[in-house]
Amino acid sequence: MSEFTHLQCSKCSEVHDASVVQTVCKKCGKPLLARYDLEAVKEAVTRKDLVGRESTMYRYFELLPIKDRKNIVTLGEGWTPMTPIRTVGEEIGLKDLWVKDEGIIPTASFKARGLGMAISKAKELGISSVALPSAGNAAGAMSAYGARAGMDVYVFMPKDAPKVNIIECQIVGAKVVLVDGLISDAGKLVKGGMDEMQWFNMGTLGEPYRLEGKKTMGIEVAEQFDWTLPDVIVYPTGGGTGIIGMWKVFDELEELGWIGSERPRMVSVQTEGCAPIVKAYDEGKEESTFWDDAETKASGLRVPKALGDFLVLRSARESGGKCIAVSDEELMSDLAQISRTEGLFVCPEGAATMSALKRMLAEGSVDKNEKVVLFNTGSGLKYTGLFDIKSPVVDPAKPFDYGSLM
Ligand SMILES: *Cc1c(COP(=O)(O)O)cnc(C)c1O
Ligand SMILES: [Zn+2]
């Protein structure tokens, strides 16, 4: 049984009824967090009970907001590999380096967790029409789960969004509108249609349940390491739901007695072309300000102002972690290194965590004996537009110079 009880504001703590559709706090406009009867969870399930359960994020059903299992809309998301990174680890002097590989998940990005959960909950609450402004992976994930749930799905994207993201929505039947403008213009169009179209806006942290899907990454890290946590988690941050969700669930796990009070240092990575949270961190501010002209190859990190920025900053500061901005040059070079050495075609956002780790090693804020988990949040296969083909084309009628391969 799910022990989900109510929603609570992340800023002012105001309690909200979870049996009806909610968006953000009615009092202060900040994100709402799902709360559980953790005593009841404690009585109902132990860590051992999880062994042998389904290898999806729904193995943690008691800690998730879906009340009736029949409302779950799933493509098998979750329980992704925790891959040891030994060779690159050795090259940079780290003995205990891992990648939590979200490249292997339905729709090829970890947005599947958030939107799979949000669509399931939307179905449970009777929502039949959803809309989202997105420049990328979130749109693909929402379209897929929306299709599976039989919902009407509307996606508003900047017209220069990657072809793969436009097609992945189109192919599963979403109505895709390309906007000759920025993601913020797409957002305005979604808001503008709410009365006439009666759709529900799935924008990041504009509803409480995407976060609950993403928090399962934190439970998996703990379970995959036999209920211990690493010393450092490095996470590529756009809207921040992943890092906020993990930080939230660590407290839930501690209350259950499944982990102790120790926490990883949470490191939030952005790129120099869009680093509002890093800027706020460096300036000692509680919230970020809008980042103009955001531009980066790590398109999942192109979020000029995140609704949950203050929660990301809080998790970095409370955990003794930090916020770091890396350049596109660094992350593309690290993408090549990880791919070539480990056979792991990571996405640019995932590669950015390696660049951040190298900087931390250089400045001494990570020790070579520490256990570090990098998050690869998607598959590099969704980003082939960033790469050129390097192979020469040969004429099969002419003798081939095999020596040229050596
Ligand atoms: C959306 C996205 C991110 C950022 O995730 P948040 O949890 O919103 O910070 C990182 N990587 C990829 C591949 C993404 O699609
Ligand atoms: Zn509030």
Side-chain angles (χ1 to χ4, degrees):
M1 213 174 98
S2 163
E3 300 295 350
F4 176 42
T5 52
H6 62 280
L7 294 163
Q8 188 178 31
C9 177
S10 56
K11 186 95 182 181
C12 76
S13 299
E14 180 80 1
V15 168
H16 290 62
D17 180 2
S19 66
V20 295
V21 176
Q22 299 281 5
T23 55
V24 291
C25 178
K26 288 198 175 104
K27 260 190 161 171
C28 74
K30 292 295 181 189
L32 296 174
L33 301 174
R35 297 298 184 201
Y36 298 81
D37 180 349
L38 293 169
E39 278 308 309
V41 176
K42 207 171 183 171
E43 294 201 351
V45 54
T46 66
R47 296 180 301 185
K48 276 209 184 83
D49 294 332
L50 300 173
V51 178
R53 282 194 179 182
E54 69 247 67
S55 45
T56 74
M57 64 179 180
Y58 292 102
R59 67 195 280 109
Y60 309 116
F61 187 72
E62 289 84 351
L63 278 172
L64 299 176
I66 313 301
K67 300 301 283 186
D68 186 340
R69 276 183 185 271
K70 78 173 189 322
N71 293 317
I72 292 176
V73 182
T74 180
L75 294 162
E77 59 291 339
W79 203 244
T80 53
M82 182 65 82
T83 306
I85 302 297
R86 295 208 182 92
T87 311
V88 176
E90 229 165 76
E91 280 171 17
I92 63 176
L94 266 190
K95 294 195 186 84
D96 208 359
L97 178 61
W98 303 77
V99 164
K100 177 71 170 155
D101 188 13
E102 299 283 308
I104 301 174
I105 199 168
T107 74
S109 92
F110 75 148
K111 293 289 193 302
R113 294 182 191 258
L115 285 145
M117 190 66 69
I119 288 286
S120 298
K121 192 63 193 179
K123 182 180 171 195
E124 187 156 82
L125 292 167
I127 292 169
S128 61
S129 175
V130 291
L132 182 71
S134 166
N137 294 325
M142 187 181 80
S143 299
Y145 290 92
R148 200 165 170 82
M151 293 182 186
D152 294 324
V153 177
Y154 302 88
V155 171
F156 288 77
M157 293 180 142
K159 76 171 192 324
D160 57 0
K163 181 177 175 188
V164 62
N165 295 120
I166 299 172
I167 299 300
E168 67 174 336
C169 298
Q170 184 182 305
I171 206 82
V172 295
K175 294 204 175 65
V176 183
V177 179
L178 299 180
V179 184
D180 190 1
L182 302 172
I183 181 77
S184 46
D185 299 306
K188 281 178 203 144
L189 280 162
V190 169
K191 288 217 177 81
M194 284 170 80
D195 283 343
E196 189 179 340
M197 301 298 290
Q198 292 292 307
W199 57 45
F200 184 72
N201 186 349
M202 280 285 186
T204 304
L205 293 175
E207 61 77 56
Y209 302 111
R210 284 175 65 174
L211 188 77
E212 293 303 293
K214 293 239 186 126
K215 84 175 183 186
T216 58
M217 296 188 293
I219 319 180
E220 285 177 28
V221 170
E223 190 178 359
Q224 288 174 317
F225 289 135
D226 201 18
W227 303 104
T228 62
L229 294 175
D231 298 301
V232 181
I233 286 181
V234 192
Y235 183 85
T237 305
T241 43
I243 202 161
I244 299 166
M246 286 194 277
W247 192 242
K248 171 179 187 281
V249 86
F250 291 153
D251 285 347
E252 293 170 358
L253 296 179
E254 183 182 353
E255 230 173 287
L256 290 174
W258 291 8
I259 60 169
S261 59
E262 72 288 351
R263 291 288 183 277
R265 305 201 295 284
M266 305 298 278
V267 177
S268 179
V269 183
Q270 300 196 300
T271 63
E272 286 167 0
C274 181
I277 292 176
V278 179
K279 182 163 182 279
Y281 176 83
D282 289 341
E283 292 171 352
K285 302 238 168 77
E286 247 181 77
E287 281 190 25
S288 65
T289 49
F290 191 91
W291 188 278
D292 289 313
D293 304 319
E295 187 48 54
T296 169
K297 288 185 168 143
S299 49
L301 309 187
R302 207 165 54 202
V303 180
K305 163 76 184 163
L307 203 54
D309 52 1
F310 69 103
L311 297 170
V312 176
L313 287 158
R314 204 185 280 167
S315 73
R317 288 182 178 130
E318 281 179 6
S319 69
K322 60 195 322 187
C323 303
I324 299 181
V326 301
S327 69
D328 276 11
E329 291 71 34
E330 281 172 282
L331 70 89
M332 290 308 279
S333 144
D334 289 325
L335 188 156
Q337 184 192 17
I338 303 169
S339 305
R340 223 176 268 165
T341 316
E342 303 285 347
L344 202 62
F345 188 4
V346 298
C347 61
E349 295 84 348
T353 63
M354 176 60 82
S355 307
L357 175 60
K358 286 182 177 174
R359 287 203 184 186
M360 286 190 290
L361 281 164
E363 70 186 21
S365 56
V366 172
D367 183 83
K368 64 182 189 326
N369 293 313
E370 288 190 302
K371 181 175 201 142
V372 177
V373 172
L374 308 178
F375 267 81
N376 177 42
T377 43
S379 168
L381 291 171
K382 293 190 95 170
Y383 297 78
T384 55
L386 294 179
F387 304 93
D388 296 321
I389 294 172
K390 289 182 179 158
S391 312
V393 178
V394 299
D395 181 350
K398 291 189 183 146
F400 180 63
D401 173 14
Y402 291 96
S404 67
L405 295 173
M406 289 191 292

